[in-house]
Amino acid sequence: MNRTMTKWRRGTRTGFTTGACAAAAARAATLGLLQEQMPKQVETVLPNGQRVTFVVADAVLLEPDAVQAVVIKDAGDDPDCTHGARLTAMIRRLPGAAGEIRLLGGVGVGRVTRSGLGLPLQAPAINPIPRNNILANIQAVAGPWLAENGLEVTISVPDGAMMAKRTLNPRLGIVGGISILGTTGIVHPYSTSAFKAAVQQAIEAAAQLGVEELVLATGRRSERFAMTQRPDLPEYAFVQMGDFIGAALASLATTRISHLIVAVMPGKLAKIAQGMDNTHAHKGEVDMHAVAAMVRQAGGDDVTVRQVADGITVRHATELMTEKSDGEVFGMELARRAMPVIRSRLPPVFRVTILLFNFNGTLLATLEHVPVLEK
C-alpha cells in the first residue's frame, strides 16, 4: 500500500465497546466452565447481530465450579481511557437454579448512586443493551446446563477504578469504576478528523443526489427515531453527525439543500443551545443552572427547579418534567433555545426543523423555523 493510501486510511479503524468485550469474556468463561477446556479465542454475537472472534487473553480455572476469562479491549483508532482494559468475566455454577443467570458487577465496574442515568440505584453500571448481550451470549452456549441449573457471572475490570477518574463517572454519581457501555458493540472513531470528514462527505453526497431535506442525527438511536417520523425520505438523506454539530452545519451551509431536520435527544440539544460546536462529553459540560431556568420557564415548581440545578444530567431533568406532565413543554423550551444557535450557522434561506426525542423514542417536541424571504 502506498503512503498516500495509508495516510487516507489513518483514523478510520473501528474497535469494540466495553460491553462487547465483556460479553466475549463471559461467553469464553462459560465455554471453559461447561466444556472443561479453556478456549484461546471465542466467537461472539454483538448487539448489532455481527459475529466477531475475540482473542481470549487469559483464562483460568479458579475452583471446580468457577472459571475466569479475560478479553482486552481494542478501541480502534479512537482510543479512550478504556483502551487496553482487561474485561474479565468469572462464571460460577448455580446447581438447581434452573434457567437463572445472575449478572453482577465486580472490581472496577462502577456502581450507580444517583438518579437520571437509566439504571437502578446501587446497581452495577452495566447498561441495558450490553447487559442483554452478555446474557444472550451466555445462553447461546449454556442451553443444556441452564435447562436444570443456573449461572452467576461477575464482570470486573482490574484497573477500572483508575480509568474511571478520567471519565465523567465520578461527576455522574457512578463510583468505583467504569461503565460497561455500547449500543452496537462497535466503537466508531467519532472524535477523529476522519469521522468529521466522513460526515462532511455524506452531506455533500446527499446534496449531489438532489436531496432537498436532510436529517442530521446526533446518534444511531435518534436517527432511527427520525426515520419513523420521515419514512418518505431516502436512507441517504439521513446523516449521523455524532458530536460534530459545528462541522456538519458548516458543510451543510455550502450546499443547495434547503431544509435541515435535526434529530436529537435532550442532553445534546442542551449543549447545542449553549453554542457548542462539539457536543462530546469531554468537550464541555451542560450548564445545569441554564437547564433549570428552562425548567422554570416550562412551568416547573421550585422543588423541581432546585433538583435540576443540583443535578448532573438533562435526561434527569426531562424525566422529572415528564413525571409532572410537563415533559413536552420543557422539550419545546429546549428547542426554542437551540433554534437561534442552529439558524445562526446557516444562510437565512434555510428552513430548520428540530425533532426532539426522549430515550424511548417518544417525540417530545417539534419546532420549525420557516424563513421569511424578502420580496
Side-chain angles (χ1 to χ4, degrees), residues 210-224:
V211 166
E212 294 183 356
E213 294 181 282
L214 182 82
V215 179
L216 288 179
T218 52
R220 190 176 300 274
R221 283 186 299 174
S222 55
E223 180 185 67
R224 186 172 69 250

Side-chain angles (χ1 to χ4, degrees), residues 21-315:
C21 297
R27 186 163 181 153
T30 304
L31 286 169
L33 178 66
L34 299 182
Q35 297 181 1
E36 299 181 352
Q37 183 175 354
M38 309 309 296
K40 295 182 179 179
Q41 60 183 29
V42 62
E43 184 183 66
T44 186
V45 181
L46 303 183
N48 66 2
Q50 183 179 348
R51 303 188 76 89
V52 175
T53 298
F54 288 83
V55 173
V56 180
D58 190 19
V60 60
L61 179 65
L62 299 177
E63 53 189 73
D65 291 323
V67 164
Q68 179 174 287
V70 177
V71 169
I72 297 175
K73 179 183 173 181
D74 178 2
D77 285 333
D78 190 25
D80 60 13
C81 66
T82 63
H83 178 68
R86 295 175 64 85
L87 274 297
T88 305
M90 184 182 73
I91 297 285
R92 187 186 305 275
R93 298 177 193 266
L94 295 176
E100 183 177 356
I101 303 178
R102 299 175 189 169
L103 180 56
L104 308 176
V107 173
V109 173
R111 179 171 50 85
V112 178
T113 66
R114 298 181 73 173
S115 302
L117 298 171
L119 292 170
L121 289 175
Q122 303 304 319
I126 304 175
N127 276 19
I129 290 177
R131 170 182 288 272
N132 291 337
N133 188 233
I134 292 168
L135 298 179
N137 274 280
I138 293 173
Q139 290 168 339
V141 295
W145 171 262
L146 291 172
E148 297 182 0
N149 304 284
L151 293 169
E152 179 183 272
V153 55
T154 302
I155 303 298
S156 59
V157 185
D159 296 325
M162 291 297 296
M163 293 174 178
K165 293 179 180 179
R166 298 170 57 192
T167 73
L168 289 178
N169 274 12
R171 194 173 302 160
L172 295 174
I174 298 175
V175 301
I178 64 171
S179 299
I180 307 301
L181 305 171
T183 57
T184 66
I186 300 292
V187 172
H188 293 278
Y190 284 116
S191 63
T192 66
S193 58
F195 182 77
K196 185 188 296 184
V199 171
Q200 295 167 331
Q201 185 180 45
I203 293 171
E204 293 165 5
Q208 291 173 5
L209 288 169
V211 166
E212 294 183 356
E213 294 181 282
L214 182 82
V215 179
L216 288 179
T218 52
R220 190 176 300 274
R221 283 186 299 174
S222 55
E223 180 185 67
R224 186 172 69 250
F225 298 154
M227 285 178 170
T228 65
Q229 296 292 320
R230 293 300 308 269
D232 56 306
L233 294 179
E235 187 175 7
Y236 54 78
F238 295 82
V239 175
Q240 285 187 45
M241 64 178 169
D243 296 302
F244 294 108
I245 179 68
L249 293 178
S251 181
L252 185 63
T254 65
T255 72
R256 294 184 178 180
I257 295 170
S258 58
H259 183 194
L260 165 65
I261 302 170
V262 179
V264 63
M265 293 187 183
K268 297 292 187 184
L269 193 59
K271 288 192 171 186
I272 292 171
Q274 288 181 220
M276 294 186 188
D277 281 340
N278 188 319
T279 59
H280 193 279
H282 296 300
K283 296 296 183 180
E285 300 176 28
V286 175
D287 181 350
M288 293 306 297
H289 290 283
V291 175
M294 297 182 210
V295 167
R296 172 76 72 188
Q297 188 66 31
D301 56 33
D302 290 344
V303 173
T304 304
V305 171
R306 283 196 300 271
Q307 285 179 311
V308 172
D310 294 337
I312 52 176
T313 66
V314 183
R315 175 175 183 162

